[in-house]
Amino acid sequence: MTPYASRTGTRRNLDALRAAGWHLLVSARGVLRHEGLPYALDNGAWTAFQRGEPFDVKAFEKAVSWGAHAADWLVLPDIVAGGLKSLKMSMQWAPRLIGLCPLLLAVQDGIKPDDVRSVLGSDIGLAVGGSTEWKESSCKMWGHLARETGCHLHVLRVNTARRIAICAHAGADSFDGTSATRFVKTLRPLDNARRQLSMFGRG
């Protein structure tokens, strides 16, 4: 599994992430810099959700212009825990972004495999989001769908060895979190967990 840490400008943390082979997740609502590391682009919806704000279209479009061309992948705009309303929003954006880089569709509470199966493949993969309980309980289901459709499977907001295990057993290709960014001492145990458990996944 490829690990992603939320973007940081702290040199010590960046050096540790680089040495461990981690990538960065750059948010549209954050500083648009990748610090020389491979990176993916997040759409900023989580920040908007935490602040009780609407999705920031201008910030997202700026981030796409800045870095989509070199990103590992880009999360389509979504609504945290927004169910089918979130899916509708994501699919409205997809035609405008397809071809820039691989896209990930964030599945949220209430979305079912039949709702998204037809759009998945090499161009559009899955990002498992939503509430923590729903994400953890549905991860294995999304793993089955990812294998069925041959798409990339990413799991959002993974900050413990237990959640890394959930990702691995679901066959996730990648995951992201903030813990290794904020507290460099957590990097080693998290990285050890993902290396040991990657044998269960697809990457």
Side-chain angles (χ1 to χ4, degrees), residues 27-58:
S27 172
R29 294 291 299 270
V31 178
L32 299 180
R33 288 177 54 180
H34 58 77
E35 312 299 344
L37 290 172
Y39 68 94
L41 277 176
D42 187 33
N43 58 40
W46 177 248
T47 299
F49 173 75
Q50 288 183 306
R51 297 178 181 178
E53 300 171 354
F55 182 77
D56 192 330
V57 173
K58 288 186 177 180

Side-chain angles (χ1 to χ4, degrees), residues 131-194:
S131 65
T132 298
E133 279 189 35
W134 184 84
K135 175 173 58 180
E136 292 185 357
S137 64
S138 68
C139 205
K140 188 174 181 180
M141 174 180 72
W142 298 116
H144 286 308
L145 182 61
R147 288 190 290 276
E148 176 189 331
T149 58
C151 77
H152 188 97
L153 177 65
H154 179 81
V155 184
L156 298 155
R157 306 193 316 277
V158 175
N159 291 299
T160 64
R162 184 181 69 82
R163 288 187 188 171
I164 289 174
I166 291 173
C167 296
H169 288 286
D173 297 290
S174 58
F175 65 89
D176 73 82
T178 59
S179 183
T181 298
R182 297 170 60 198
F183 311 107
V184 71
K185 67 181 181 181
T186 68
L187 175 59
R188 178 172 291 181
L190 291 176
D191 194 55
N192 286 341
R194 71 102 179 176

Side-chain angles (χ1 to χ4, degrees), residues 116-131:
V116 299
R117 179 180 283 105
S118 64
V119 303
L120 301 176
S122 58
D123 292 327
I124 301 180
L126 287 166
V128 186
S131 65

Side-chain angles (χ1 to χ4, degrees), residues 6-125:
S6 298
R7 184 255 165 210
T8 177
T10 305
R11 185 56 53 191
R12 178 189 177 205
N13 294 26
L14 286 168
D15 288 345
L17 291 168
R18 186 176 289 108
W22 283 49
H23 296 201
L24 290 186
L25 184 62
V26 179
S27 172
R29 294 291 299 270
V31 178
L32 299 180
R33 288 177 54 180
H34 58 77
E35 312 299 344
L37 290 172
Y39 68 94
L41 277 176
D42 187 33
N43 58 40
W46 177 248
T47 299
F49 173 75
Q50 288 183 306
R51 297 178 181 178
E53 300 171 354
F55 182 77
D56 192 330
V57 173
K58 288 186 177 180
F60 176 69
E61 291 178 334
K62 181 180 178 180
V64 169
S65 297
W66 167 79
H69 64 286
D72 295 341
W73 39 260
L74 163 69
V75 182
L76 288 163
D78 67 287
I79 303 168
V80 178
L84 293 176
K85 185 177 179 181
S86 176
L87 176 59
K88 181 179 179 180
M89 176 182 182
S90 297
M91 296 317 300
Q92 286 174 339
W93 277 91
R96 297 171 54 182
L97 302 169
I98 202 86
L100 293 178
C101 67
L103 306 177
L104 296 187
L105 173 64
V107 286
Q108 307 287 347
D109 301 50
I111 294 177
K112 300 175 181 178
D114 285 346
D115 296 325
V116 299
R117 179 180 283 105
S118 64
V119 303
L120 301 176
S122 58
D123 292 327
I124 301 180

